[in-house]
Amino acid sequence: MLLLTIMSVFRPWAFQGSLSRKNYFEGWYFKHVSADRKQVWSFIPGVSLAPEGRHAFGQVLNGRTGESHIFNYAVEAFSASRKELNVDIGQSNFTKQGIALELQNNSKKISGNISYASQEPYPSSRFNPGIMGWYSFVPFMECKHGVVSMYHTLKGGLRIGDTYIDFNDGTGYIEKDWGSSFPESWVWLHCNTFDSSHTSFTFSVAKIPWLGSYFIGFISFLKIDGKFINLSTWSKARIEKLDYHDNKLKIRITNNKYILEVEALNNQAGALKAPILGSMTRIIKETVDASIELKLSDYSGKTLFQDKGTRAGMELIEQILNYF
């Protein structure tokens, strides 16, 4: 069992828990943007193992309208591999290679297939097995996070209600979370649909309880046309600015080599459920339609990279701003 637990650290995309756990959740996040960027849909399959109710679920968010839907299933309808990303919920299947959906409730029916190609996995090493770096090995954390694919292309489409949506040549992203609860407050920002470059960017900062106290930790990366830059707490980067006014988020991150300035405009948001002690009872707001601008400089003042993106994902629980 200990060996299996250690090995799972190096496979964050796989199922980390077991259906015998209590006060536990696990969920995967699949984002899809059509080639013309007129459609952006996110799908979140997962499992909630709370004492008051154990069930599997599939959440759906239309990024352009903020419309959201949840599809609930008996926990017996959930299965997932401990080695690969391979999740079954009812008749729907979610893998690294693509998704096959058959979701239906009283208000919405979604079906179809989207396959993924040209995946860019998050780089890992023996001591830094994922985006959490060496924090991946730290016990007693209420929530852990993994990035599965920073960028991939799409092929296929979905029928959502009476409308068929073509995702051929679109762009995708996969990440996941697992543990007992989401943090008390956080910011999450992601974009891999930029105007003039093949770029992927993710940023998340949170108040993290640990051993009776807490710390403010963040994870972030920027990948620009093959160049990967890690900007996280565990890599000794620093957040020098985190400010939110008039729906605009401004961030300044530095390390010993780079200065990254971020501006993101919050747009249409939809409601999603988030875990508290494994129970999906907390309501949060997420947009998948934010706009974003990045500027990377060195300490001589030279601009190394600058670009704008659309269809960015963004969550902001504003209490985190009190720590900056």
Side-chain angles (χ1 to χ4, degrees):
M1 184 66 180
L2 177 61
L3 178 60
L4 183 62
T5 301
I6 293 172
M7 289 303 296
S8 70
V9 170
F10 296 92
R11 295 192 290 257
W13 52 81
F15 186 41
Q16 303 292 307
S18 73
L19 296 183
S20 63
R21 297 272 305 258
K22 296 181 180 179
N23 300 323
Y24 182 81
F25 82 95
E26 191 156 348
W28 293 255
Y29 180 91
F30 294 77
K31 178 185 173 187
H32 307 79
V33 182
S34 62
D36 60 8
R37 301 191 187 177
K38 291 182 179 180
Q39 298 284 342
V40 50
W41 290 78
S42 295
F43 300 92
I44 308 170
V47 64
S48 168
L49 305 176
E52 66 273 18
R54 296 157 49 84
H55 70 282
F57 60 85
Q59 296 195 72
V60 179
L61 179 61
N62 179 343
R64 293 305 312 278
T65 67
E67 176 189 7
S68 61
H69 298 270
I70 188 162
F71 302 81
N72 288 317
Y73 296 85
V75 71
E76 292 79 14
F78 172 89
S79 64
S81 169
R82 295 294 300 262
K83 295 182 179 181
E84 307 294 338
L85 198 178
N86 194 337
V87 179
D88 288 311
I89 296 179
Q91 295 179 302
S92 297
N93 178 245
F94 302 82
T95 73
K96 274 188 178 182
Q97 292 73 43
I99 60 173
L101 299 185
E102 288 291 339
L103 299 169
Q104 186 168 3
N105 60 18
N106 292 332
S107 60
K108 186 67 69 174
K109 180 178 181 180
I110 302 174
S111 62
N113 296 270
I114 305 175
S115 60
Y116 307 150
S118 304
Q119 285 198 353
E120 297 180 359
Y122 186 90
S124 63
S125 67
R126 178 180 299 179
F127 299 108
N128 297 316
I131 193 170
M132 293 186 64
W134 57 266
Y135 280 100
S136 301
F137 301 100
V138 174
F140 311 120
M141 297 184 72
E142 69 173 359
C143 184
K144 291 191 173 182
H145 186 75
V147 171
V148 181
S149 176
M150 299 184 290
Y151 180 99
H152 51 266
T153 57
L154 310 177
K155 182 179 180 180
L158 299 175
R159 184 164 294 280
I160 300 179
D162 296 327
T163 303
Y164 180 79
I165 300 174
D166 186 346
F167 284 100
N168 283 310
D169 301 317
T171 303
Y173 172 78
I174 309 171
E175 64 174 38
K176 67 169 296 193
D177 296 279
W178 66 97
S180 60
S181 304
F182 269 13
E184 173 187 297
S185 57
W186 72 89
V187 170
W188 170 78
L189 186 62
H190 158 75
C191 188
N192 61 3
T193 43
F194 285 86
D195 290 348
S196 57
S197 62
H198 181 94
T199 298
S200 301
F201 170 71
T202 290
F203 168 85
S204 182
V205 60
K207 179 184 178 183
I208 302 168
W210 193 63
L211 298 180
S213 185
Y214 72 89
F215 64 94
I216 305 299
F218 77 99
I219 48 180
S220 185
F221 69 82
L222 177 64
K223 185 173 183 184
I224 312 165
D225 296 326
K227 181 180 180 63
F228 183 85
I229 301 171
N230 188 287
L231 296 160
S232 302
T233 300
W234 61 266
S235 67
K236 300 183 179 179
R238 302 169 299 280
I239 298 176
E240 294 191 349
K241 181 178 185 178
L242 185 68
D243 179 73
Y244 185 68
H245 288 291
D246 298 325
N247 286 336
K248 181 173 285 188
L249 178 68
K250 295 184 178 181
I251 309 168
R252 179 183 168 98
I253 309 171
T254 63
N255 64 9
N256 60 1
K257 190 174 181 181
Y258 300 112
I259 301 165
L260 179 64
E261 295 170 284
V262 183
E263 288 192 6
L265 182 64
N266 203 350
N267 289 318
Q268 182 68 48
L272 293 176
K273 291 188 175 183
I276 301 175
L277 296 177
S279 179
M280 303 297 290
T281 54
R282 183 178 181 183
I283 303 299
I284 63 170
K285 292 287 189 176
E286 177 182 316
T287 180
V288 200
D289 194 29
S291 57
I292 185 171
E293 183 171 356
L294 304 181
K295 180 181 177 181
L296 183 72
S297 307
D298 62 21
Y299 280 91
S300 73
K302 180 181 179 182
T303 298
L304 305 174
F305 168 79
Q306 192 165 7
D307 203 354
K308 295 180 180 180
T310 57
R311 310 299 175 245
M314 182 175 174
E315 296 172 0
L316 191 149
I317 311 301
E318 294 192 34
Q319 291 89 334
I320 191 66
L321 301 172
N322 297 331
Y323 298 95
F324 294 89

